[in-house]
């Protein structure tokens, strides 16, 4: 890949862990383009993150969008370096578009990993390995695409939130 394309969509707050990106990307030598969609109390601080990133990486900040579909379709995966979560809707939206999630190794994501594709990291080294795999192994991306679509359509594994929103 020319660059690994990641999208974040959600409230820009300390909870979401976006401030950890400079550390996570510190040793990544594959170009990464992150598109951040959202608003919140940490937006100005996050907007300035590009100043602390290796110039091979791109960090783009956009405001809240009502429909994330085109952004998910643009991406290789969703990124969620969260400190804590419950059951984020964007994971399910991503799966419906055939996209996996790269997330921090927290309880909620470990639970979600049982029902669909998630690549979890506990530190910058694990994050670097995930990015390298995405950049160099198209078969891994293809399998994640298939697994994501399957998990979003499987009535036994998808979130009841998805069913509620669809009604």
């Amino acid at each position: 890949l020319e660059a690994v394309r990641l999208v974040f969509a959600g409230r820009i707050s300390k909870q979401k862990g976006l401030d950890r990106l400079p550390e996570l990307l510190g040793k990544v030598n594959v170009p990464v383009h992150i598109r951040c969609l959202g608003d919140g109390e940490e937006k100005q601080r996050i907007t300035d993150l590009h100043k602390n990133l290796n110039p091979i990486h791109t960090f783009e900040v956009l405001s809240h969008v009502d429909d994330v579909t085109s952004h998910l379709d643009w991406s290789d995966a969703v990124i969620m370096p969260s400190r804590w979560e419950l059951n984020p809707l964007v994971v399910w939206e991503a799966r419906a578009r055939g996209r996996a999630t790269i997330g921090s190794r927290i309880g909620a994501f470990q639970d979600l990993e049982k029902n669909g594709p998630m690549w979890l990291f506990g530190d910058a080294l694990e994050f670097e390995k995930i990015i390298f795999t995405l950049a160099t192994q198209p078969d891994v991306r293809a399998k994640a695409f298939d697994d994501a679509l399957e998990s979003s359509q499987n009535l036994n594994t998808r979130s009841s939130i998805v069913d509620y929103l669809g009604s």
Side-chain angles (χ1 to χ4, degrees), residues 4-71:
V4 174
R5 295 177 312 243
L6 304 176
V7 67
F8 168 86
R11 180 147 185 81
I12 301 177
S13 66
K14 189 81 170 164
Q15 168 197 353
K16 300 299 183 178
L18 292 169
D19 59 305
R20 300 166 58 197
L21 289 175
E23 174 192 347
L24 292 172
L25 290 167
K27 297 199 187 295
V28 174
N29 60 10
V30 173
V32 176
H33 184 144
I34 298 176
R35 186 176 287 174
C36 178
L37 312 172
D39 292 309
E41 61 273 11
E42 292 284 311
K43 186 167 184 173
Q44 184 56 53
R45 184 172 170 212
I46 296 307
T47 300
D48 294 336
L49 271 184
H50 71 278
K51 297 174 185 175
N52 300 321
L53 297 178
N54 180 325
I56 69 167
H57 304 306
T58 306
F59 188 71
E60 176 183 14
V61 180
L62 305 174
S63 289
H64 169 82
V65 297
D66 290 329
D67 185 357
V68 297
T69 303
S70 64
H71 301 283

Side-chain angles (χ1 to χ4, degrees), residues 102-129:
I102 300 171
S104 49
R105 193 176 306 284
I106 59 175
F109 293 157
Q110 290 171 326
D111 286 342
L112 286 169
E113 182 182 35
K114 296 172 189 170
N115 299 326
M118 298 211 45
W119 295 295
L120 302 181
F121 62 88
D123 58 24
L125 180 60
E126 285 182 310
F127 183 80
E128 178 186 15
K129 288 178 182 177

